[in-house]
C-alpha cells in the first residue's frame, strides 16, 4: 500500500484562512504543473521561473536535527547532556540513498561545474521530504519498496493542481500528488525527470532518478549554490516557505558537520527518534511515521517578504500555534541553551572584473563522425578591455542548429566558470547519430562581450563493408582452352552471407602458381588484359552485383599448355580456387598447306 503524508491543515481554521489557502492554491497551480517547455527545447532542458515549487507546496517533515553535532557529541556536565547515539543515529544516511546523492553530485559536477552542488543539500531535502526514502526502504536498484505519496492537491489546504499524468505516477486521475523520495509532482517530473541509474527509465520513485532530477532543478538559471542568495532561491523553489528554507538549511549544516552510512532500511525516520528492527519508526499509523506538522501554505513566503498576519488576531505577523501528532511532545529547548539557528550566509565572493571580450582558442571549426565524440575541446579566454584575463567569469556554451550533438547529460547548454587563467573549456561534445552542420556559441553571461562561434560538423559514419561467408562458381562446367587462344566460357561466381546473396563484396582474382604453401602470381599460362590490352594476371577492385554475382573478364592463353589455378579472394578472406586447363593447339590436316612440289602434267 502506498505511503501517504498526513494533512498539514490545523483544526479549527477560520474562513479567512481558507480563503487565503484558495489564493495560494491558485498561485501554486500556475507553477510546476503548468510549466510549458519552450518550442524546440527538450523537456529536460526547460527551466522554470525562480520560486516555482517542485512539490506543489506539499507537506514536509519539520523535525530539526539534534542540538549535538553528529561527530561531536556533548560533553557530560554541559547544559545539554544527550546520549551520543542521538546525534550519531540522526547523522546516518541509508547506503543506497547516500550513494544516489553522491552520484548526482558527481554527474552535475561534470555537466554544470559552475553550480557547485553539494550532495549534503540533496540529503537535507530528502530528509524533510521523505525521511531519506522512509529510512532507506529501497530495493537494490534504488526504487522505493512502496510508493511515497503526498496528499491530494485539490485546493483544500494545499495547491490546486488537477491531474496531469492520468494517474500514471500517483494513482490519482483527479488531482496530482507529490511522488517519491524527493516529492516531485507529476507535472514537474515531466519537465525535470532524469534517468540517474541508466536503466532506461525516468522513475520518480527511484532515488537515483529523483536525486539527479532534484539536483538539476536546484542548478537551474545558472545558479551558483556556493552563493547564499542562489542557494536560498534554489531551496525556495522546492517549497515557497521561509520555514521550509530554515528547516532544510538546518539539516544541510548538520550533514556538512558529520554523517555516516547505515544499512538500507535502518535510517531514523522523522518523529521516531530511532528505528525499530524493521527500520520503521514509531509513528501514528498513517503510512508515514508521525505525519509532518507544518504551517498551512495560505500565502507562500517570498524571499525578503513579510509573513501575512494571522486572521482574527491583533498585531499582525503572529504565527498561529502548530499542532503536534497525538502521543508526541513538542520539541523543547533545554534551559541555558540556544536553539539551533540557520548558518550565517556565506560571504559572496567579489565580482570578477568585467569581461569585454572572449578570445577563441584553438581551431574555429571541429569535426566528428556520427556516433562518436568530438576530439577537440572548445575553449575561450575571457579578457577585460585592458587585455587582462578574467577568472571566475561564467561562460555559456550553447549548441545551435538542427543536430543530435549534445554535451554530457544530453544538454544543449552548459555553463563553465573560467579558471585563474581566464580560460573556459567546454565539456566533450557527443556527435549523436545524425550527420550535418551546426554551431557552438560561447557567451560571457551578464556581459555585453560579443559571442564567439565555433563551426561544427558531423560526418556520416562509413557504411560497414559488405560481408560474405561463401564464394562458389555458378557452373560446374570444366574450363578448357587451347594455347594461343582464349576460354570460351566465362568464369562466374556468387558470394553469399548466411545463405543470402552478398552484394558489393570486393573480390580479387589472381593466376597463381601451384605452390600449396604460399602460392604467388604465375608468370606464364592464362592471363587477363588490362584497358590498354597489356597482359595482367591479377585483377583487383572487382565487386559482386546486387545479386551477389561476379563475371570475370575474358581469359586468354599463351603458348604454355598445362593445368593452372585461378585464385579468387573476397575482402573478408573467403577463398575460391578455380582450375583452368590449357591444351596444345592441334592442326587440321585438311586445312594445312601442302608441302609437296607441284608437278607439271605431261602431255
Amino acid at each position: 500500500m502506498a505511503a501517504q503524508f498526513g494533512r498539514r491543515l490545523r483544526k479549527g481554521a477560520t474562513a479567512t484562512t481558507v480563503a487565503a489557502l484558495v489564493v495560494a492554491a491558485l498561485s501554486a497551480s500556475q507553477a510546476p504543473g503548468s510549466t510549458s517547455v519552450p518550442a524546440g527545447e527538450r523537456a529536460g532542458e526547460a527551466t522554470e521561473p525562480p520560486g516555482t515549487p517542485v512539490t506543489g507546496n506539499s507537506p514536509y517533515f519539520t523535525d530539526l536535527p539534534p542540538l549535538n553535532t553528529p561527530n561531536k557529541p556533548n560533553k557530560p556536565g554541559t547544559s545539554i547532556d544527550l546520549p551520543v547515539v542521538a546525534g550519531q543515529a540522526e547523522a546516518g544516511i541509508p547506503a543506497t540513498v547516500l550513494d544516489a546523492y553522491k552520484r548526482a553530485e558527481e554527474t552535475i559536477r561534470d555537466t554544470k561545474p559552475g553550480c557547485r552542488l553539494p550532495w549534503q543539500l540533496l540529503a537535507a531535502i530528502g530528509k524533510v521530504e521523505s525521511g531519506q526514502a522512509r529510512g532507506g526502504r529501497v530495493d537494490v536498484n534504488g526504487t522505493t519498496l512502496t510508493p511515497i505519496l503526498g496528499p491530494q492537491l485539490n485546493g483544500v489546504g494545499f495547491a490546486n493542481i488537477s491531474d496531469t499524468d492520468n494517474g500514471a505516477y500517483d494513482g490519482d486521475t483527479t488531482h496530482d500528488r507529490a511522488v517519491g523520495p524527493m516529492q516531485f509532482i507529476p507535472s514537474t517530473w515531466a519537465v525535470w525527470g532524469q534517468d540517474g541509474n541508466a536503466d532506461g527509465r525516468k522513475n520518480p520513485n527511484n532515488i537515483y532518478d529523483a536525486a539527479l532530477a532534484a539536483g538539476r532543478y536546484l542548478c537551474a538559471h545558472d545558479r551558483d549554490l556556493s552563493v547564499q542568495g542562489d542557494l536560498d532561491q534554489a531551496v525556495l523553489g522546492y517549497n515557497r516557505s521561509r520555514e521550509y528554507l530554515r528547516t532544510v538549511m538546518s539539516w544541510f549544516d548538520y550533514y556538512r558537520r558529520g554523517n555516516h552510512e547505515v544499512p538500507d532500511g535502518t535510517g531514523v525516520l522523522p518523529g521516531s527518534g530511532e528505528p525499530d528492527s524493521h527500520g520503521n519508526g514509531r509513528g501514528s499509523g498513517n503510512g508515514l511515521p508521525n505525519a509532518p506538522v507544518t504551517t498551512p501554505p495560505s500565502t507562500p513566503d517570498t524571499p525578503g517578504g513579510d509573513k501575512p498576519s494571522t486572521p482574527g488576531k491583533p498585531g499582525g505577523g503572529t504565527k498561529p500555534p502548530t499542532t503536534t501528532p497525538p502521543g508526541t511532545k513538542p520539541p523543547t529547548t533545554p534551559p541555558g541553551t540556544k536553539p539551533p539557528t540557520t548558518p550565517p550566509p556565506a560571504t559572496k565572493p567579489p565580482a570578477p572584473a568585467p569581461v569585454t571580450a572572449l578570445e577563441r582558442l584553438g581551431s574555429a571549426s571541429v569535426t566528428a563522425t556520427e556516433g562518436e565524440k568530438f576530439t577537440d575541446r572548445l575553449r575561450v579566454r575571457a579578457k577585460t578591455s585592458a587585455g587582462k584575463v578574467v577568472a571566475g567569469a561564467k561562460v555559456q556554451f550553447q549548441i545551435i542548429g538542427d543536430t543530435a550533438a549534445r554535451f554530457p547529460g544530453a544538454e544543449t547548454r552548459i555553463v563553465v566558470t573560467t579558471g585563474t587563467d581566464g580560460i573556459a573549456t567546454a565539456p566533450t561534445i557527443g556527435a549523436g547519430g545524425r550527420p550535418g552542420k551546426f554551431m557552438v556559441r560561447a557567451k560571457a553571461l551578464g556581459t555585453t562581450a560579443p559571442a564567439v562561434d565555433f563551426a561544427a560538423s558531423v560526418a556520416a559514419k562509413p557504411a560497414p563493408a559488405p560481408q560474405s561467408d561463401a564464394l562458389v562458381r555458378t557452373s560446374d562446367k570444366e574450363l578448357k582452352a587451347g594455347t594461343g587462344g582464349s576460354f570460351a566460357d566465362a568464369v562466374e561466381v556468387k558470394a553469399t552471407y548466411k545463405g543470402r546473396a552478398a552484394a558489393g563484396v570486393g573480390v580479387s582474382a589472381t593466376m597463381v602458381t601451384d605452390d600449396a604453401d604460399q602460392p604467388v602470381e604465375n608468370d606464364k599460362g592464362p592471363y587477363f588484359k588490362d584497358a590498354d590490352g597489356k597482359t595482367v594476371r591479377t585483377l583487383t577492385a572487382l565487386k559482386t552485383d546486387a545479386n551477389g554475382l561476379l563475371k570475370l573478364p575474358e581469359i586468354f592463353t599463351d603458348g604454355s599448355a598445362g593445368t593452372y589455378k585461378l585464385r579468387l579472394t573476397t575482402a573478408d578472406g573467403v577463398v575460391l580456387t578455380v582450375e583452368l586447363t590449357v591444351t596444345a593447339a592441334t592442326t587440321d590436316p585438311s586445312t594445312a598447306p601442302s608441302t609437296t612440289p607441284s608437278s607439271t602434267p605431261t602431255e
Side-chain angles (χ1 to χ4, degrees):
M1 181 177 178
Q4 299 187 15
F5 286 104
R7 295 180 60 185
R8 297 176 62 188
L9 288 177
R10 296 182 181 82
K11 295 182 180 179
T14 66
T16 306
T17 303
V18 173
L21 291 172
V22 173
V23 174
L26 292 175
S27 173
S29 67
Q30 301 302 313
S34 59
T35 299
S36 61
V37 180
E41 293 193 13
R42 298 178 305 103
E45 297 167 8
T47 57
E48 298 179 349
T52 298
V54 167
T55 66
N57 282 342
S58 289
Y60 57 90
F61 288 109
T62 58
D63 301 52
L64 295 175
L67 295 180
N68 57 317
T69 60
N71 294 335
K72 297 179 181 180
N74 297 290
K75 296 179 181 179
T78 59
S79 57
I80 305 176
D81 191 8
L82 299 177
V84 174
V85 70
Q88 291 177 339
E90 287 286 1
I93 302 175
T96 299
V97 177
L98 179 60
D99 182 60
Y101 296 149
K102 291 183 176 181
R103 188 183 298 186
E105 180 195 58
E106 292 172 3
T107 299
I108 292 175
R109 184 191 304 129
D110 292 339
T111 58
K112 287 195 174 182
C115 176
R116 297 180 175 86
L117 170 74
W119 68 260
Q120 292 91 340
L121 179 59
L122 296 175
I125 292 174
K127 179 70 173 179
V128 302
E129 292 295 346
S130 68
Q132 310 297 19
R134 298 187 69 213
R137 298 194 65 212
V138 296
D139 63 20
V140 294
N141 298 314
T143 302
T144 58
L145 299 181
T146 56
I148 301 176
L149 301 176
Q152 188 181 63
L153 298 175
N154 56 9
V156 181
F158 310 110
N160 185 2
I161 302 178
S162 298
D163 174 61
T164 61
D165 66 332
N166 199 28
Y169 293 122
D170 55 14
D172 192 326
T173 58
T174 304
H175 291 85
D176 273 347
R177 297 171 182 260
V179 180
M182 302 301 280
Q183 288 291 281
F184 277 85
I185 58 173
S187 52
T188 308
W189 184 258
V191 177
W192 294 96
Q194 300 290 317
D195 179 11
N197 61 351
D199 65 352
R201 297 180 59 212
K202 296 179 180 180
N203 182 5
N205 291 299
N206 182 279
I207 186 59
Y208 288 99
D209 295 357
L212 182 57
R216 292 209 183 282
Y217 184 92
L218 293 168
C219 288
H221 313 295
D222 299 322
R223 293 189 184 105
D224 180 351
L225 299 182
S226 66
V227 177
Q228 189 66 40
D230 283 0
L231 178 59
D232 289 353
Q233 286 294 324
V235 176
L236 287 170
Y238 232 89
N239 192 309
R240 292 188 296 179
S241 162
R242 286 284 174 179
E243 174 91 15
Y244 179 85
L245 174 62
R246 285 190 289 271
T247 304
V248 169
M249 291 303 297
S250 295
W251 283 105
F252 177 39
D253 178 65
Y254 182 74
Y255 285 134
R256 283 193 302 178
R257 286 184 283 121
N259 59 80
H260 61 273
E261 178 184 304
V262 298
D264 288 346
T266 65
V268 174
L269 290 170
S272 66
E274 62 183 68
D276 65 15
S277 60
H278 302 289
N280 299 318
R282 297 186 296 272
S284 58
N286 62 348
L288 272 177
N290 295 337
V293 180
T294 62
T295 58
S298 55
T299 303
D301 293 340
T302 55
D306 295 327
K307 291 187 177 182
S309 300
T310 303
K313 292 199 175 186
T318 305
K319 186 177 179 181
T322 59
T323 58
T324 56
T328 61
K329 295 181 178 180
T332 58
T333 302
T337 63
K338 295 182 179 180
T341 59
T342 302
T347 303
K348 190 170 184 176
V355 178
T356 60
L358 286 181
E359 176 189 5
R360 183 191 297 112
L361 302 178
S363 175
S365 61
V366 292
T367 60
T369 301
E370 63 176 317
E372 299 179 359
K373 293 182 177 180
F374 284 82
T375 55
D376 295 320
R377 299 279 292 275
L378 308 184
R379 301 190 306 150
V380 294
R381 179 185 285 120
K383 290 185 173 182
T384 66
S385 57
K388 294 184 178 180
V389 300
V390 180
K394 289 186 177 182
V395 177
Q396 175 183 272
F397 291 89
Q398 181 179 4
I399 295 173
I400 302 173
D402 183 15
T403 178
R406 293 291 185 270
F407 290 114
E411 299 284 346
T412 57
R413 286 188 292 253
I414 207 87
V415 176
V416 179
T417 303
T418 58
T420 55
D421 55 2
I423 295 176
T425 303
T428 301
I429 301 175
R434 187 166 70 245
K437 296 181 179 181
F438 62 97
M439 180 193 312
V440 180
R441 175 164 295 165
K443 172 67 177 173
L445 298 178
T447 75
T448 57
V452 171
D453 292 337
F454 295 84
S457 60
V458 178
K461 189 174 183 179
Q467 291 182 288
S468 64
D469 55 17
L471 187 67
V472 297
R473 281 187 63 198
T474 58
S475 171
D476 57 1
K477 187 176 181 179
E478 188 177 6
L479 297 169
K480 284 187 177 182
T483 56
S486 65
F487 288 83
D489 297 310
V491 176
E492 185 181 64
V493 295
K494 182 174 184 178
T496 57
Y497 181 67
K498 295 184 178 180
R500 296 185 177 183
V505 174
V507 180
S508 62
T510 305
M511 302 296 178
V512 297
T513 63
D514 241 345
D515 188 346
D517 294 332
Q518 191 172 1
V520 295
E521 182 180 281
N522 213 331
D523 58 1
K524 64 179 181 178
Y527 62 90
F528 303 103
K529 289 183 180 180
D530 64 12
D532 298 325
K534 294 181 180 179
T535 298
V536 293
R537 289 189 168 87
T538 296
L539 296 177
T540 57
L542 303 173
K543 285 190 177 181
T544 59
D545 64 15
N547 298 314
L549 298 174
L550 171 64
K551 182 180 287 188
L552 298 183
E554 185 178 5
I555 301 175
F556 301 89
T557 62
D558 59 11
S560 303
T563 301
Y564 297 91
K565 291 183 178 179
L566 169 62
R567 184 185 179 96
L568 294 102
T569 307
T570 67
D572 41 6
V574 179
V575 177
L576 171 66
T577 302
V578 178
E579 191 172 273
L580 305 173
T581 302
V582 180
T583 59
T586 58
T587 303
D588 187 346
S590 64
T591 61
S594 175
T595 59
T596 305
S598 60
S599 59
T600 302
T602 58
E603 295 181 355

